[in-house]
Amino acid sequence: MQKYSFKNDYSEACHPHILEALVKSNLDQQNGYGDDDYSNEARELIKNKIEDQRADIHFVSGGTQANLLVISSVLRPHESVISAETGHIFTNETGAIEATGHKIHGIVTEDGKLKPEHIQSVLDSHTNKPHQLKQRLVYISNSTEIGTIYQKQELKELYEFCQSNDLYLFMDGARIAQALTSEISDLTLEDVATFTDVFYLGGTKNGALLGEAIVITNDKLKEDFGFHIKQKGALLAKGRLLGIQFLELMKDDLYFDLAKQSNLQAMKIKSAFQKKGFKFLSETFTNQIFPILSNSQIEKLSEHFDFYVWKKRDENNSAIRLITSWATSDEVVERFLKAIDNL
């Protein structure tokens, strides 16, 4: 039997509704570069959902691309960005941000989330201006790279701190749907739009073939953003392919239904580990979980399932990362629960 992969939430191609929509619209002639009817309708849907008709919406192909476009467009040559050390831009983007000439200040955090005091510590160590860099942007992920989420009050406090310190706040939303539909979340999409300057809705990790929707709410960041997209090769001639996908994801809240399903399956697995007495690297309620297992237990699970060994705890134990997707079936979960029970 082929191993089932819990390595990521984009092993499957896309939700069938998206394939059907792509096939149905295949021979429909449309304008290029995102000025097609599907993209325009998807933009209006997103504006309605965030309750901001003045927001600018741009569709791009991937998360690293979205991060690179946003951050490089915001920062001037002498400016830098602050991130948790677990942040995707700090750990997994091959120095994409640094390659544009901008330093990332990485901060060690226990739960992958930034707090005002974290940012203040960076500001306090960079007071010798103009001899030191000017911090200008704060980067956060929701959900974070270790599966934790921001609550409304946390995001509000972070945003207000950024405003009072002349900083922009940017949320990486590769898994924003999973964060917002978590059973413990009190944050809404409207809240995210209110308490950030720019964020994006991740499609790649939530049922789309590919694509992210960058949402810019701060007027200062809107001007000339289209030039950055084109210059960095991110403006697709067949932009309709992205617009159609987000139209399908957004029109009947399929986007959030898929995230709920992936979270549900992960929580079943989390519960099984808890019942057996296993500990976790972080307390998560999204589709990412990080149980700590012995080397022999990891080897046993690896016989029939694929996953990442995420962080070594000591010579005998490591945290593994398990990610469920919108397509993770009840049958697969049941197989995995039996494997856990046999550990």
Side-chain angles (χ1 to χ4, degrees):
M1 183 182 295
Q2 182 180 358
K3 285 186 180 183
Y4 185 85
S5 176
F6 286 106
K7 280 190 167 183
N8 57 58
D9 36 14
Y10 45 87
S11 292
E12 301 87 5
C14 68
H15 190 273
H17 286 186
I18 289 175
L19 271 185
E20 292 167 9
L22 289 168
V23 171
K24 184 178 179 180
S25 63
N26 190 44
L27 296 180
D28 182 18
Q29 288 191 324
Q30 290 283 322
N31 291 329
Y33 301 105
D35 189 27
D36 57 276
D37 294 339
Y38 307 107
S39 295
N40 289 330
E41 189 175 348
R43 289 188 186 97
E44 290 305 311
L45 274 177
I46 293 172
K47 289 179 184 180
N48 291 338
K49 289 185 184 299
I50 66 173
E51 297 185 355
D52 185 351
Q53 295 301 313
R54 298 183 67 254
D56 279 3
I57 317 292
H58 302 272
F59 299 115
V60 299
S61 64
T64 296
Q65 188 180 73
N67 291 334
L68 176 64
L69 287 165
V70 170
I71 295 173
S72 63
S73 73
V74 169
L75 300 183
R76 297 180 67 188
H78 57 284
E79 293 176 337
S80 59
V81 54
I82 299 170
S83 166
E85 282 198 353
T86 52
H88 207 263
I89 62 169
F90 193 80
T91 60
N92 285 295
E93 296 186 359
T94 326
I97 304 306
E98 288 92 340
T100 66
H102 300 289
K103 180 179 177 63
I104 302 172
H105 304 282
I107 298 176
V108 177
T109 69
E110 290 185 3
D111 58 4
K113 297 190 289 184
L114 288 182
K115 299 175 178 63
E117 53 265 33
H118 293 138
I119 302 166
Q120 188 64 59
S121 68
V122 178
L123 301 181
D124 289 344
S125 62
H126 290 78
T127 58
N128 190 20
K129 306 290 171 53
H131 304 283
Q132 292 178 296
L133 289 167
K134 177 181 179 181
Q135 291 70 54
R136 192 71 169 108
L137 185 141
V138 173
Y139 166 94
I140 61 175
S141 307
N142 196 32
S143 59
T144 70
E145 291 74 11
I146 56 173
T148 53
I149 66 170
Y150 285 87
Q151 300 287 11
K152 181 176 180 177
Q153 187 60 30
E154 291 176 313
L155 184 62
K156 184 174 183 287
E157 289 176 0
L158 197 56
Y159 179 65
E160 289 174 347
F161 178 88
C162 288
Q163 283 196 309
S164 63
N165 286 276
D166 197 26
L167 297 164
Y168 294 120
L169 182 59
F170 168 41
M171 180 184 286
D172 176 328
R175 294 190 176 95
I176 194 172
Q178 288 81 358
L180 297 180
T181 57
S182 164
E183 63 187 68
I184 66 165
S185 176
D186 66 351
L187 195 65
T188 67
L189 194 55
E190 299 96 306
D191 293 330
V192 174
T194 300
F195 299 122
T196 63
D197 296 290
V198 53
F199 68 97
Y200 71 86
L201 298 163
T204 302
K205 295 175 179 176
N206 194 38
L209 275 173
L210 74 164
E212 330 293 313
I214 299 172
V215 182
I216 306 175
T217 56
N218 188 319
D219 290 341
K220 295 178 181 178
L221 307 184
K222 295 175 183 178
E223 186 176 359
D224 293 343
F225 191 75
F227 291 96
H228 291 273
I229 296 177
K230 178 64 177 180
Q231 189 178 71
K232 290 180 172 61
L235 188 60
L236 298 185
K238 295 182 181 180
R240 60 188 285 163
L241 299 178
L242 298 174
I244 288 169
Q245 293 184 79
F246 274 94
L247 181 56
E248 286 300 311
L249 288 171
M250 291 294 166
K251 67 180 183 181
D252 294 317
D253 281 339
L254 177 64
Y255 187 66
F256 299 104
D257 291 340
L258 297 182
K260 287 177 185 176
Q261 176 64 13
S262 63
N263 287 347
L264 175 66
Q265 302 295 53
M267 291 302 98
K268 291 178 186 176
I269 296 171
K270 176 184 176 182
S271 178
F273 277 114
Q274 287 176 323
K275 288 176 182 176
K276 292 280 286 186
F278 287 94
K279 304 298 183 183
F280 296 83
L281 179 66
S282 57
E283 182 70 10
T284 71
F285 295 87
T286 58
N287 68 323
Q288 298 182 82
I289 58 174
F290 298 81
I292 299 170
L293 281 69
S294 69
N295 295 340
S296 61
Q297 290 168 334
I298 291 172
E299 185 177 350
K300 182 69 175 176
L301 278 184
S302 297
E303 292 175 6
H304 300 292
F305 301 95
D306 229 1
F307 48 81
Y308 284 113
V309 178
W310 196 251
K311 187 174 184 179
K312 187 176 181 179
R313 303 293 288 177
D314 54 44
E315 290 302 316
N316 301 311
N317 301 277
S318 294
I320 65 171
R321 186 182 77 165
L322 301 166
I323 301 186
T324 52
S325 83
W326 60 273
T328 302
S329 68
D330 291 338
E331 179 186 0
V332 165
V333 171
E334 285 302 317
R335 279 174 45 205
F336 197 62
L337 297 187
K338 289 179 182 178
I340 295 170
D341 196 47
N342 288 330
L343 290 178

